[in-house]
Amino acid sequence: MTDSDMIFKAFSDLTATKGTYHNKWICDESLVRILHMHYRNLKDIDKIRSKLVRRLNSQSGAFDNSNTLQLYTAKFQAICPFTATRRQIYYYYVGTGLPPPMPSNAVACSQAPALLSFSKTNDRQRSCNMPKQKSLPDEGSAGKKKKRKAASHTTKGGAAKSITPTPTKKRCSPRIAEQQFVPFSTQMGELLEDDGDDEDDEDDDDNNNTDSGGGGGDNNNCSSTEKTIPLYWQSPEAALLFGFDHGADVYNGLEKLIETFSTVLQSWQGYATTNIIQFDNDGGLTHHAIFELRNKCLYLRTAYQIALEELQVGVKWEDCCNKAASKLAPLGFNAASNGRTIMKWNRIFRQMHQFPNPDPYVANGLKRKPRIFEIFPSAAVDMSNFILDKLDHFHVEMLRDYVKTTLLEQLNEEVTNNENFTEDSDEYKLVAKYVDTPPSYSTVLRWVGYLGFKRELAKKCYYVDGHEYPEQLRHRAWFTTEYLSKLEVRSHRWVHLTQTEFSALKDSLDDEKEKEMLEKVKYSFKGDNDEDMLEFHVDKHKRLQEIANLKYGAHGGRTSTRMDPNHKPVIIFGQDEAIFHAHLSMTHQWVDPNGRRALMPKTQGVGIMISGFQSRELGWGIPITKEQLVQINANRAREEYFDKEAALAVYGTTKKKPLGSSPGIVKFPYGKENGFWTGRHMNLQTEDVIDVVKVTHGDMYEYVFLFDSSSGHAKKRGDGLDAKSMKKEWHSSPSGMRNVKIERKEGFLGPHHDPSVRAMVLIGQEQTLDFTSDLDKELGPFWLTAQQREEQRHDREVEIPLEQRKRRVKQKSELIPELMLTEWGKLEGQTKLWKMKHTELVKKAAAQNIEINITPATKTVHGWEGKGKGLLQVAYERGWIDKTNYKRYLVMKYDDDGNLIPELSLRHLIASCTDFQTEKSQLEYVCESLGAKALITTKYHAEYAGEGIEYSWGFAKSLYRRHPLAQKKTTADFLKLVDKCISREVLTVDIIRRFSARARSYMETYKVMELEANSTETKDSSSEDSPIPHKRIETLKKILKSHRAAIDFDKGFIMKTVYVKFDMERDLLKREKKVNVSVRVKPEDRKVAAKAKNN
């Protein structure tokens, strides 16, 4: 429905239901105001009068019986009664009988006998029959309330009776919510109530001599103390002007707004006690914003006061605003030089009787975005990834250093080498600002807060969101399948029973559910003599492990009959690191009735880092005899480490050193002298372990190592493929990445690949990631012209304009050559200097009287030849780039809502390629090269990492905590106690197998959950056949999202379900009788102890 149709429908409905408007001449402006009064939504239509006139003129007819609509029109040049200007006025007549006589002039229309004047005492006559409006009596008026009417009557005694509006919820300011309002129609066709014929009201008015003049004249029949409100304040125009609902008490509402303005002006923080600012919950406006707010309140208060005194029919609101501006100007207030400014403020304020919050982010409900994230959206992603990679030890200074040394350098190179960024661009100016003055600590802290990170009390817990990330779910599904379906059938974890042995086992069990479970998990096959045999996993019941220990000896089981005979058996090792501190104690303390407690050390004390391996077959560590140790060292005598870079960094030589003990457990006293345990240490320990097992178990086994997903274990190869380290265009140095072979189209080549293009790599060819081949040197970057390729081929020094030269601190590459000329530098050596931090080098240089600042006059612009190809070139050679629109591609491109656009994000396109996705870490590469296999367990899943080694650390630390501080005072005592708690006498083979079974149960649980999620049936049969009860699965879903360390979520299992027999624990219990140590003892041990006591 068009606006014209809506207006005409409103006119038709109104005249059809209201006899008041029949057989009367009504001018166009009066008709518009009548429609406004009855239909509130028409006020949203622009130029309503012109649209109404055009439509009614087209529908009106002649002054005879042929006019079936009985709608007549006339027009005359006359003085408008509303604007007091001369214009062409249209008059309309809706008849119900004979046609009216055609009026000869405007006076004939305005003075027709059937018309009702607006007011007998008004000095300006209205020219139409608008319903008569009357003055509202004062709140003190006596009288009994009747049903709501459009006009008020008088009682027999002459006192006016108040017609009180119906209470309703105010749509605007809560400060005047106590006022009474009339519900207003907002839908077409819904009319205001009418109390009957207006002509009767006119007669009553005449008989009672009631004066309802707009000028606020006295009512002769009212009390002398009664206040008469001018007629204007009852009109819809007044309500609209000041933001009230139609029918509201505008006069009193305006007085309350004046009181609110006065409250704001009483004190500097006066606004905070009101609700005059939208979304101002903390009252945190700036001084400038408060100053502007108080000015607006002052001007509006003055204008409102003048309006209450003078505004009525014939007086303009603009006149009141002009008077307010003139009144305040002599007092030194110049915020509003004229009334139009005050009128603008009023239009803003009347919307909700509040001023918008001066902060645009608060006003729009947005989180304030730092400038750097607005201009460089990828910076937010890079910072978030940096924080997440170092979340366990992150601090703001770490990010600040990364921004100064890495991120700003990348951004500076991006804006410098991109011709789209001029010196006047926002990108160039922002980077130049931060390069000249790096962001402060508080600025970086604000960035961290915007990215959603917050600082809380440290606790051991899962990173819940990460635990259920889609990529982790995919890896978990792959890993559990690899472990349960492929590796375990080749492991010593199975037991074979005859039917007789199985029957005897079931007869020894009392629980029927356990018997049913064994029936479900058995696997039937034919034995050597065609005998019926049953195969079970040793974890399905504790008795099965006991039987396997008796039948198969040290390894505690045999391989599965379903193993491929062409494959070797496997031994699976789990690895993890843990730190023991000397002052590690109980998390809670006992306090006596007087509040006294043991005095605890303030620090954690000296610490030692331990890296350990464990397996079901060998238990904790890797036990070796003296004879085996001699053989191992003999084999290593003239060998070098495979990871030569790691060996040089850690040992200073690539040659293997003789081992003094088993490398299965390595104790590393970290600190300033020895540094910290890194991925290089892990690679070397793994090589040592492989050397050991090849002597102790030979080549008859395949060795599989499980590592958690830490940064050291996942460190990429030296020449590994890494899309994250690649820039958009060419690098300033060789990339260091190896050439890669394109094996097939799928997963390697994109939709824009064209084999006829020389620059594009073909299937079976190797792609170079540096501009080093003859073809690369000939073609160069694809987006450069032939002239540009030659100009930018080699590095060149360009002069920096004088106005752009900036003083900066010298870099490492500039400080170290100068330091090497000093005696101190010669003693330290160049290698040690390069390992020092930049800040430390600056201090050393200053101490040697070396100038640490420099103002470069030239800068190096790096050419492309011999340098690493960027993402843009590599993606183009693989056919992922549309050459005609290559400028649309960014390193990471996001839409306006912050969502990644994958097809235009270069890093995403390259990282999604198969060779980049399947790139092995340095640790995996080392193991594979030495004939072993390394598997990285799922990130955030400590519950099944490393063959249950998390439980081993938790158990050992639980025992360590229970020893008194007196046994941990000296470093020697501390190390001795640690050795005792992690010894094979404590962490026995039986305990390691129980911990491994616990970790495997989580894998099995996840696998069942995966099957449930993938099932399309209402009730998944796989869940029913699973040996894990469904109730436990549902419980685990909740438990696994609330913990991280095994000692937290399985403390009960660690301390209550493990049978301990070693003397240290019993001695410990004797020393601490009052401490409730939750360690369970076997029932048969209790009986033996009871008999001994009785005897």
Side-chain angles (χ1 to χ4, degrees):
M1 181 181 291
T2 64
D3 290 346
S4 179
D5 293 336
M6 183 178 294
I7 295 169
F8 184 74
K9 179 171 174 51
F11 171 84
S12 301
D13 291 346
L14 183 63
T15 55
T17 56
K18 288 282 187 178
T20 306
Y21 308 111
H22 292 169
N23 304 317
K24 302 178 179 68
W25 285 103
I26 307 175
C27 79
D28 49 11
E29 182 64 24
S30 295
L31 192 54
V32 168
R33 299 189 179 214
I34 292 171
L35 290 176
H36 277 171
M37 183 176 68
H38 289 282
Y39 301 98
R40 183 62 176 268
N41 59 334
L42 292 181
K43 294 193 176 185
D44 298 330
I45 300 177
D46 295 329
K47 301 180 180 178
I48 182 174
R49 183 160 63 86
S50 61
K51 294 178 181 178
L52 176 66
V53 167
R54 284 196 298 269
R55 186 60 179 268
L56 293 184
N57 289 346
S58 65
Q59 297 291 333
S60 61
F63 287 74
D64 55 31
N65 293 330
S66 64
N67 190 340
T68 56
L69 292 179
Q70 293 188 308
L71 175 63
Y72 309 91
T73 182
K75 61 178 180 179
F76 302 97
Q77 287 289 334
I79 300 297
C80 178
F82 296 97
T83 62
T85 59
R86 188 174 184 82
R87 67 176 179 87
Q88 184 169 266
I89 302 176
Y90 288 85
Y91 297 85
Y92 299 96
Y93 185 103
V94 179
T96 57
L98 296 175
M102 183 181 297
S104 59
N105 51 46
V107 177
C109 291
S110 62
Q111 294 181 351
L115 293 180
L116 294 174
S117 63
F118 177 72
S119 173
K120 293 181 179 181
T121 58
N122 273 357
D123 42 294
R124 176 174 294 147
Q125 293 286 324
R126 293 229 182 177
S127 62
C128 69
N129 279 352
M130 282 190 63
K132 193 173 75 169
Q133 305 182 41
K134 307 194 178 200
S135 300
L136 291 178
D138 189 70
E139 292 181 355
S141 301
K144 186 177 180 181
K145 293 182 181 179
K146 293 185 177 181
K147 292 183 180 179
R148 185 172 59 88
K149 296 186 178 182
S152 61
H153 299 276
T154 55
T155 62
K156 293 181 179 180
K161 292 195 297 184
S162 174
I163 309 300
T164 307
T166 307
T168 185
K169 185 175 180 180
K170 180 86 167 67
R171 70 169 176 86
C172 49
S173 171
R175 294 184 303 279
I176 50 178
E178 65 273 14
Q179 297 185 40
Q180 312 247 325
F181 299 90
V182 179
F184 198 87
S185 168
T186 57
Q187 297 181 357
M188 185 68 69
E190 184 179 349
L191 305 178
L192 292 176
E193 294 179 2
D194 190 83
D195 60 316
D197 192 355
D198 285 283
E199 294 186 11
D200 296 337
D201 294 337
E202 176 72 13
D203 295 338
D204 292 341
D205 241 3
D206 293 339
N207 295 333
N208 291 306
N209 298 320
T210 303
D211 185 4
S212 57
D218 295 335
N219 188 338
N220 297 330
N221 296 321
C222 295
S223 170
S224 61
T225 60
E226 196 174 53
K227 178 181 179 182
T228 302
I229 301 174
L231 175 65
Y232 172 78
W233 296 104
Q234 307 164 39
S235 65
E237 291 85 351
L240 176 63
L241 177 61
F242 296 107
F244 293 94
D245 286 332
H246 174 64
D249 191 346
V250 181
Y251 193 92
N252 288 327
L254 212 59
E255 287 183 333
K256 293 184 178 297
L257 290 179
I258 291 173
E259 293 177 5
T260 301
F261 292 146
S262 299
T263 302
V264 174
L265 296 170
Q266 283 176 359
S267 64
W268 186 253
Q269 291 292 327
Y271 78 95
T273 62
T274 67
N275 193 24
I276 202 168
I277 294 292
Q278 293 178 9
F279 313 117
D280 181 48
N281 298 325
D282 56 357
L285 297 185
T286 63
H287 286 274
H288 178 70
I290 295 175
F291 176 77
E292 288 191 338
L293 172 65
R294 286 164 60 85
N295 270 339
K296 293 176 183 178
C297 290
L298 177 62
Y299 277 96
L300 281 179
R301 184 184 69 170
T302 306
Y304 285 179
Q305 289 171 339
I306 295 173
L308 289 179
E309 295 175 0
E310 301 181 8
L311 192 58
Q312 54 185 310
V313 175
V315 178
K316 294 182 180 180
W317 162 241
E318 185 177 2
D319 297 337
C320 300
C321 295
N322 287 329
K323 286 185 178 182
S326 301
K327 184 177 181 179
L328 294 174
L331 302 179
F333 295 98
N334 56 4
S337 58
N338 54 60
R340 287 192 298 273
T341 303
I342 303 175
M343 294 172 69
K344 181 184 71 174
W345 292 342
N346 179 66
R347 285 194 297 270
I348 296 171
F349 178 75
R350 73 187 180 190
Q351 299 298 322
M352 292 294 293
H353 285 171
Q354 287 179 310
F355 288 109
N357 198 298
D359 188 331
Y361 287 92
V362 177
N364 293 283
L366 301 175
K367 194 174 183 180
R368 185 180 298 278
K369 180 181 287 190
R371 182 70 170 162
I372 191 172
F373 297 155
E374 287 183 352
I375 297 180
F376 300 103
S378 61
V381 180
D382 293 339
M383 290 189 198
S384 295
N385 291 336
F386 178 85
I387 297 173
L388 289 173
D389 290 341
K390 299 170 175 55
L391 197 58
D392 57 338
H393 60 286
F394 172 76
H395 53 84
V396 177
E397 280 294 348
M398 187 183 296
L399 178 61
R400 186 166 177 253
D401 184 66
Y402 165 75
V403 171
K404 290 192 296 184
T405 59
T406 304
L407 185 60
L408 286 179
E409 181 181 342
Q410 295 174 357
L411 296 178
N412 189 29
E413 186 172 349
E414 179 180 343
V415 300
T416 304
N417 296 334
N418 194 327
E419 58 185 13
N420 295 327
F421 297 142
T422 63
E423 295 183 4
D424 294 330
S425 64
D426 293 340
E427 292 84 355
Y428 189 93
K429 290 180 179 179
L430 183 67
V431 173
K433 169 190 171 184
Y434 282 136
V435 169
D436 184 40
T437 306
S440 63
Y441 179 93
S442 59
T443 299
V444 178
L445 179 62
R446 180 162 47 86
W447 293 349
V448 173
Y450 176 81
L451 293 174
F453 296 92
K454 56 184 179 180
R455 206 161 172 267
E456 294 182 349
L457 182 66
K459 56 183 179 182
K460 294 180 180 179
C461 62
Y462 283 123
Y463 182 38
V464 176
D465 292 338
H467 192 274
E468 297 301 315
Y469 276 168
E471 57 267 29
Q472 310 310 336
L473 296 180
R474 289 192 293 269
H475 187 277
R476 187 170 73 194
W478 169 83
F479 181 82
T480 52
T481 300
E482 181 77 12
Y483 186 96
L484 297 174
S485 302
K486 297 181 180 180
L487 294 179
E488 279 211 313
V489 294
R490 300 163 58 193
S491 303
H492 299 86
R493 303 183 183 187
W494 305 89
V495 59
H496 291 173
L497 301 179
T498 63
Q499 289 289 353
T500 304
E501 290 173 328
F502 179 55
S503 298
L505 173 61
K506 289 201 298 182
D507 292 341
S508 66
L509 301 178
D510 297 329
D511 193 339
E512 292 297 327
K513 290 184 178 180
E514 292 181 349
K515 297 178 182 180
E516 293 177 6
M517 185 270 296
L518 289 176
E519 288 287 350
K520 288 183 178 181
V521 299
K522 69 183 180 182
Y523 174 76
S524 302
F525 68 100
K526 292 294 184 180
D528 295 336
N529 299 322
D530 204 29
E531 182 181 6
D532 291 334
M533 300 290 292
L534 300 174
E535 183 178 68
F536 298 89
H537 194 287
V538 294
D539 289 351
K540 296 307 177 184
H541 197 280
K542 61 182 180 180
R543 290 291 302 277
L544 292 174
Q545 182 65 70
E546 294 172 359
I547 295 172
N549 291 341
L550 294 174
K551 293 186 73 170
Y552 307 115
H555 284 176
R558 56 159 296 158
T559 58
S560 173
T561 187
R562 289 164 281 185
M563 185 186 83
D564 188 341
N566 297 320
H567 292 163
K568 295 180 180 180
V570 300
I571 297 179
I572 305 175
F573 293 92
Q575 186 278 339
D576 194 26
E577 303 95 2
I579 294 179
F580 281 76
H581 290 285
H583 299 155
L584 183 66
S585 58
M586 303 292 288
T587 56
H588 294 76
Q589 279 186 284
W590 289 101
V591 182
D592 73 0
N594 297 321
R596 292 178 299 181
R597 63 183 70 207
L599 187 62
M600 303 299 292
K602 293 182 179 180
T603 65
Q604 293 181 323
V606 65
I608 188 168
M609 207 285 306
I610 303 172
S611 174
F613 288 81
Q614 70 178 35
S615 65
R616 288 204 187 199
E617 290 79 4
L618 305 180
W620 178 252
I622 302 175
I624 56 176
T625 63
K626 292 182 179 180
E627 294 76 12
Q628 289 172 334
L629 181 61
V630 172
Q631 180 62 41
I632 292 167
N633 287 329
N635 294 345
R636 290 163 52 93
R638 288 178 295 276
E639 290 185 353
E640 291 184 335
Y641 282 104
F642 177 81
D643 192 345
K644 294 180 174 54
E645 181 185 350
L648 283 172
V650 176
Y651 299 136
T653 178
T654 60
K655 292 184 178 181
K656 294 182 178 179
K657 295 181 178 180
L659 298 176
S661 60
S662 171
I665 304 296
V666 172
K667 294 184 281 292
F668 183 78
Y670 65 91
K672 291 184 178 180
E673 295 182 0
N674 299 319
F676 295 90
W677 185 267
T678 64
R680 294 191 178 99
H681 294 84
M682 187 70 260
N683 295 344
L684 299 179
Q685 185 189 7
T686 303
E687 285 199 50
D688 294 341
V689 168
I690 293 175
D691 288 345
V692 169
V693 295
K694 283 185 176 180
V695 171
T696 59
H697 291 79
D699 294 330
M700 63 178 296
Y701 291 99
E702 180 181 349
Y703 305 104
V704 178
F705 298 92
L706 305 184
F707 300 96
D708 62 18
S709 185
S710 67
S711 57
H713 301 161
K715 183 181 179 182
K716 72 180 185 71
R717 292 171 53 181
D719 59 352
L721 308 179
D722 184 14
K724 290 184 178 180
S725 64
M726 299 176 68
K727 298 178 180 179
K728 181 180 178 180
E729 299 180 357
W730 64 84
H731 295 225
S732 58
S733 60
S735 66
M737 291 186 282
R738 67 183 185 278
N739 298 342
V740 290
K741 184 178 181 179
I742 305 301
E743 299 177 1
R744 57 187 179 276
K745 179 176 177 59
E746 183 182 358
F748 287 85
L749 304 179
H752 303 288
H753 185 265
D754 185 358
S756 63
V757 178
R758 293 181 63 203
M760 293 195 179
V761 64
L762 303 178
I763 298 175
Q765 290 183 345
E766 279 194 347
Q767 182 185 26
T768 59
L769 298 183
D770 296 325
F771 288 105
T772 52
S773 70
D774 294 338
L775 184 62
D776 290 332
K777 293 178 181 179
E778 176 187 350
L779 300 179
F782 74 91
W783 63 90
L784 298 181
T785 63
Q787 181 180 353
Q788 290 173 334
R789 282 200 299 270
E790 293 305 319
E791 290 176 351
Q792 303 180 39
R793 181 180 293 273
H794 302 292
D795 294 351
R796 60 192 188 279
E797 290 290 322
V798 298
E799 186 176 356
I800 302 174
L802 290 174
E803 64 274 8
Q804 295 182 18
R805 295 179 185 179
K806 297 178 181 178
R807 190 171 178 81
R808 62 170 175 82
V809 179
K810 290 181 180 178
Q811 300 173 353
K812 266 189 174 185
S813 58
E814 297 166 324
L815 289 172
I816 291 177
E818 295 185 46
L819 285 169
M820 288 299 297
L821 299 176
T822 65
E823 292 297 327
W824 176 85
K826 294 176 182 178
L827 291 175
E828 293 292 322
Q830 189 169 352
T831 303
K832 190 172 182 179
L833 293 182
W834 275 107
K835 290 183 178 180
M836 295 175 64
K837 291 183 178 180
H838 179 254
T839 53
E840 190 174 355
L841 275 179
V842 171
K843 293 179 181 178
K844 298 294 183 182
Q848 297 295 323
N849 295 323
I850 295 175
E851 178 60 41
I852 61 174
N853 294 312
I854 188 175
T855 304
T858 62
K859 66 178 180 180
T860 302
V861 178
H862 298 283
W864 55 267
E865 187 173 309
K867 307 298 172 54
K869 296 177 181 178
L871 292 166
L872 191 62
Q873 180 70 22
V874 173
Y876 171 72
E877 293 177 2
R878 295 190 177 210
W880 293 105
I881 296 294
D882 179 7
K883 185 177 180 180
T884 59
N885 294 309
Y886 75 91
K887 291 185 179 181
R888 298 174 57 202
Y889 295 84
L890 299 177
V891 176
M892 297 293 280
K893 188 163 186 175
Y894 301 89
D895 59 21
D896 293 338
D897 296 328
N899 301 314
L900 179 71
I901 306 177
E903 62 274 13
L904 297 178
S905 299
L906 295 171
R907 183 177 293 166
H908 174 82
L909 291 172
I910 298 301
S912 300
C913 293
T914 301
D915 47 354
F916 279 81
Q917 273 191 329
T918 58
E919 179 69 6
K920 291 181 174 63
S921 66
Q922 179 67 8
L923 184 56
E924 292 174 297
Y925 178 60
V926 168
C927 290
E928 183 180 311
S929 302
L930 297 177
K933 185 176 183 178
L935 293 179
I936 305 298
T937 56
T938 311
K939 203 171 185 179
Y940 309 115
H941 286 67
E943 64 273 13
Y944 65 64
E947 287 293 277
I949 196 169
E950 285 282 354
Y951 304 97
S952 301
W953 293 128
F955 184 71
K957 288 188 176 184
S958 295
L959 298 178
Y960 181 87
R961 283 190 179 100
R962 282 165 169 74
H963 285 76
L965 285 173
Q967 299 182 22
K968 313 169 187 177
K969 286 291 186 182
T970 65
T971 302
D973 290 339
F974 159 63
L975 296 176
K976 183 179 179 181
L977 183 57
V978 170
D979 288 340
K980 201 172 185 180
C981 291
I982 63 171
S983 65
R984 286 177 59 86
E985 288 75 23
V986 174
L987 296 169
T988 63
V989 174
D990 180 60
I991 287 177
I992 298 301
R993 288 173 181 169
R994 290 177 183 274
F995 288 159
S996 177
R998 184 70 169 184
R1000 182 186 181 277
S1001 70
Y1002 282 109
M1003 294 189 208
E1004 200 173 32
T1005 299
Y1006 284 128
K1007 182 54 65 178
V1008 174
M1009 291 166 57
E1010 179 190 345
L1011 294 175
E1012 285 183 341
N1014 295 334
S1015 175
T1016 57
E1017 300 177 3
T1018 304
K1019 192 173 185 180
D1020 188 2
S1021 59
S1022 64
S1023 178
E1024 293 181 353
D1025 296 338
S1026 170
I1028 303 176
H1030 183 78
K1031 183 177 180 181
R1032 180 184 171 200
I1033 294 173
E1034 292 301 317
T1035 302
L1036 287 174
K1037 288 180 182 179
K1038 299 177 181 178
I1039 294 177
L1040 292 176
K1041 291 186 178 182
S1042 58
H1043 302 283
R1044 184 173 191 272
I1047 190 62
D1048 291 332
F1049 63 83
D1050 262 339
K1051 184 175 181 180
F1053 166 74
I1054 292 174
M1055 299 306 298
K1056 294 181 181 178
T1057 64
V1058 178
Y1059 300 121
V1060 283
K1061 298 180 180 180
F1062 42 89
D1063 294 339
M1064 185 186 73
E1065 181 63 22
R1066 287 203 293 269
D1067 293 341
L1068 182 61
L1069 290 173
K1070 290 179 182 178
R1071 287 196 299 269
E1072 299 184 4
K1073 293 181 180 179
K1074 292 185 179 180
V1075 180
N1076 180 21
V1077 182
S1078 54
V1079 179
R1080 197 171 71 184
V1081 184
K1082 277 187 174 181
E1084 52 266 32
D1085 291 344
R1086 291 198 190 99
K1087 294 178 182 179
V1088 172
K1091 289 181 180 179
K1093 184 177 181 180
N1094 294 334
N1095 294 334

